Amino acid sequence: MSSSAEPLPVRASRSPALSGNVRVPGDKSISHRSLLLGGLARGETRVTGLLEGEDVLRTADAMRALGAKIERNEDGSWVARGNGVGGLLNPEAVLDFGNAGTGVRLMMGLAAGHGLTVTYDGDASLRKRPMGRILTPLKQMGARVVDCAEGERLPLTLEGPQDVIPVTYRLPVASAQVKSAVLLAGLDCAGDTTVIESEPTRDHTERMLVHFGADLIRETEGSESRITLKGRPDLVGRDVTVPADPSSAAFPLVAALLVEGSRVRLENVMVNKTRAGLLTTLEEMGAKITRENERELGGEPACDLVVEASDLHGVEVPPERAPSMIDEYPVLAVAAAFAKGDTIMRGLSELRVKESDRLAAVAAGLAANGVRHTIEGDDLIVHGGERVAGGGTVETHLDHRIAMSFLVMGLASEEPVTVDDGAMIATSFPAFTDLMTGLGAKIEGAAG
Ligand code: S3P
């Protein structure tokens, strides 16, 4: 996969009923964190179910460049060996994170907090994304931006301080990436690091820090939490089991809801409530989704989701739900296109700074396929019609989730939907086309 290679158009057409049992790949957020913490912690960490997508492989390479040993076993599990907190080295070359916002932002925190000087770069999409949100707290902790592109963007060189300054940082945006960068920067700090979030965001960093032996407390009052990490913990290698990614499960899930007669079982899906906003919303829209085999997997709540084709109706999605489904709005917009009545999604400003401007990309994709919609400020309103014309070509703007969302649309629309380039699907879901066609979906073209 490369953003400069020839585009790979992919086309999805109206499909017969989807059926089968499938396991989508491991969670991307947890996979990144398992390599960051496993590559840092003293001793051996064995990771099973790691997402072997481009984004996560960049994090593996970056950790190796800082001195961690990271290998893939023949059975598909991964082993990371680190030197403990304080044991990272300056890399010899630029760390290129490709398309991976989570990888680069979490690494900036970890590396700066270890006093390293690192140059970060990425693809055309990542170079457009704001890094100031990470640099602001890291500068308060003593880091210095040596060089960066205009607007505090990549390529960027960041120098960590000799001694990290303990901070209490209130998140100005509901971002788990910012929270995580600050906590990781606090690992090699002599004092405590506190992050205050006024709305809950995904808590995988906190869970995994505790799993590796950190002393971390969360105090919650209403929707606000204060998370405090005690510096210089003795992080020790642990086994990590990565549950299936709910953000990837969202694609076969919505496809099964939309394609008449479908019944699909999605196994081992993580249902941590900081990630479950799409499930809540689809259930409110009338989706038939049953949770079976509820259990814990790798310290996260997980279950099998049994999904049946359903008649959906529009709902209003409140802004405070956004952090728990931030990556799922594109595919929700597709579900909303087939739902009866209006679906109103409020408070989507963060969608503008993802792998693409997702608000604009979704609107353009809906328009190209004859779906009426309105954008009012940061709100998206999809005027659902139960039937979707399709027939359009969607520009993916180097965004995997735009590509997969509109391919799902094509499985139920009257005419096929084409996405201009499926290459980026490999960043998070390399087996997407195979998995979907295995369920009966008609998707042609080489994605990933
Ligand atoms: C992620 C957090 C989210 C999400 C991203 C993964 C993470 O970003 O969009 O795909 O793993 O922490 P923000 O925290 O910036 O909203």
Side-chain angles (χ1 to χ4, degrees):
M1 183 224 51
S2 151
S3 51
S4 55
E6 280 292 294
L8 298 170
V10 187
R11 191 170 75 148
S13 320
R14 201 173 172 88
S15 298
L18 306 181
S19 71
N21 290 1
V22 284
R23 190 168 291 202
V24 304
D27 185 66
K28 183 149 76 77
S29 294
I30 294 180
S31 294
H32 280 299
R33 286 157 173 84
S34 71
L35 295 177
L36 291 166
L37 291 184
L40 175 69
R42 191 164 59 75
E44 187 173 297
T45 290
R46 190 182 145 106
V47 186
T48 40
L50 187 87
L51 165 64
E52 295 177 347
E54 298 280 346
D55 279 13
V56 174
L57 299 180
R58 299 280 181 156
T59 294
D61 286 343
M63 283 306 288
R64 288 187 189 111
L66 303 192
K69 301 260 182 307
I70 297 181
E71 286 154 22
R72 183 184 195 274
N73 294 326
E74 271 181 15
D75 66 0
S77 65
W78 287 67
V79 169
R81 287 185 196 84
N83 298 314
V85 170
L88 297 178
L89 307 171
N90 272 319
E92 281 168 13
V94 172
L95 299 187
D96 184 348
F97 276 89
N99 195 247
T102 305
V104 77
R105 289 182 172 137
L106 270 54
M107 181 59 92
M108 281 186 195
L110 181 65
H114 273 72
L116 308 185
T117 300
V118 180
T119 301
Y120 301 92
D121 204 355
D123 70 4
S125 154
L126 197 56
R127 281 182 172 202
K128 283 191 201 151
R129 298 181 68 184
M131 296 299 153
R133 56 179 57 199
I134 302 291
L135 300 176
T136 300
L138 294 183
K139 284 190 262 185
Q140 288 177 21
M141 298 173 90
R144 185 174 77 86
V145 177
V146 178
D147 201 8
C148 65
E150 208 185 313
E152 297 189 302
R153 285 178 164 75
L154 303 183
L156 180 160
T157 302
L158 187 63
E159 179 189 79
Q162 211 61 332
D163 295 303
V164 174
I165 302 164
V167 292
T168 294
Y169 189 70
R170 179 179 280 277
L171 295 181
V173 277
S175 166
Q177 293 182 351
V178 179
K179 170 177 66 176
S180 301
V182 175
L183 291 173
L184 295 175
L187 278 171
D188 198 17
C189 171
D192 291 355
T193 298
T194 300
V195 179
I196 303 172
E197 58 179 9
S198 45
E199 286 172 73
T201 64
R202 66 190 69 193
D203 59 359
H204 310 303
T205 302
E206 298 93 298
R207 285 173 186 255
M208 205 178 286
L209 279 168
V210 170
H211 183 59
F212 278 84
D215 187 345
L216 180 141
I217 52 167
R218 171 184 291 267
E219 296 155 292
T220 302
E221 223 183 286
S223 64
E224 182 168 302
S225 287
R226 263 181 98 84
I227 303 142
T228 302
L229 171 74
K230 207 171 165 48
R232 307 228 164 114
D234 181 21
L235 297 187
V236 184
R238 294 269 188 259
D239 287 355
V240 176
T241 305
V242 185
D245 193 329
S247 302
S248 298
F251 302 109
L253 192 158
V254 170
L257 292 174
L258 301 182
V259 177
E260 215 179 301
S262 299
R263 188 174 197 277
V264 168
R265 173 186 288 268
L266 300 159
E267 294 171 350
N268 277 348
V269 182
M270 188 238 292
V271 285
N272 177 325
K273 65 177 188 310
T274 65
R275 298 285 299 281
L278 178 72
L279 281 182
T280 308
T281 303
L282 290 172
E283 278 161 355
E284 289 174 0
M285 293 171 82
K288 288 183 227 155
I289 304 172
T290 318
R291 299 179 189 215
E292 293 184 0
N293 295 326
E294 295 194 50
R295 60 194 177 278
E296 274 237 330
L297 201 65
E300 296 277 352
C303 69
D304 298 346
L305 298 173
V306 180
V307 189
E308 285 174 67
S310 308
D311 292 329
L312 303 178
H313 55 81
V315 293
E316 180 161 344
V317 189
E320 61 276 11
R321 196 178 291 164
S324 68
M325 55 179 296
I326 194 67
D327 293 335
E328 283 70 78
Y329 283 102
V331 78
L332 175 64
V334 168
F338 291 87
K340 204 175 194 167
D342 288 356
T343 298
I344 304 165
M345 301 168 228
R346 301 234 185 255
L348 305 188
S349 58
E350 279 295 297
L351 286 200
R352 298 186 194 275
V353 292
K354 295 295 177 188
E355 285 82 331
S356 65
D357 175 345
R358 281 189 179 152
L359 204 44
V362 165
L366 293 174
N369 290 289
V371 180
R372 287 189 311 116
H373 61 279
T374 315
I375 293 183
E376 285 172 6
D378 293 331
D379 301 342
L380 170 65
I381 304 159
V382 177
H383 310 295
E386 291 169 83
R387 66 169 278 282
V388 170
T393 296
V394 177
E395 284 185 60
T396 52
H397 300 282
L398 296 178
D399 190 328
H400 54 136
R401 297 200 202 279
I402 296 298
M404 289 185 277
S405 298
F406 282 95
L407 289 172
V408 167
M409 173 180 272
L411 304 179
S413 55
E414 280 166 24
E415 296 299 323
V417 173
T418 304
V419 300
D420 66 346
D421 190 2
M424 303 315 286
I425 290 174
T427 61
S428 69
F429 199 163
F432 172 77
T433 307
D434 287 348
L435 183 141
M436 294 299 291
T437 53
L439 291 171
K442 287 193 189 167
I443 300 181
E444 298 157 284

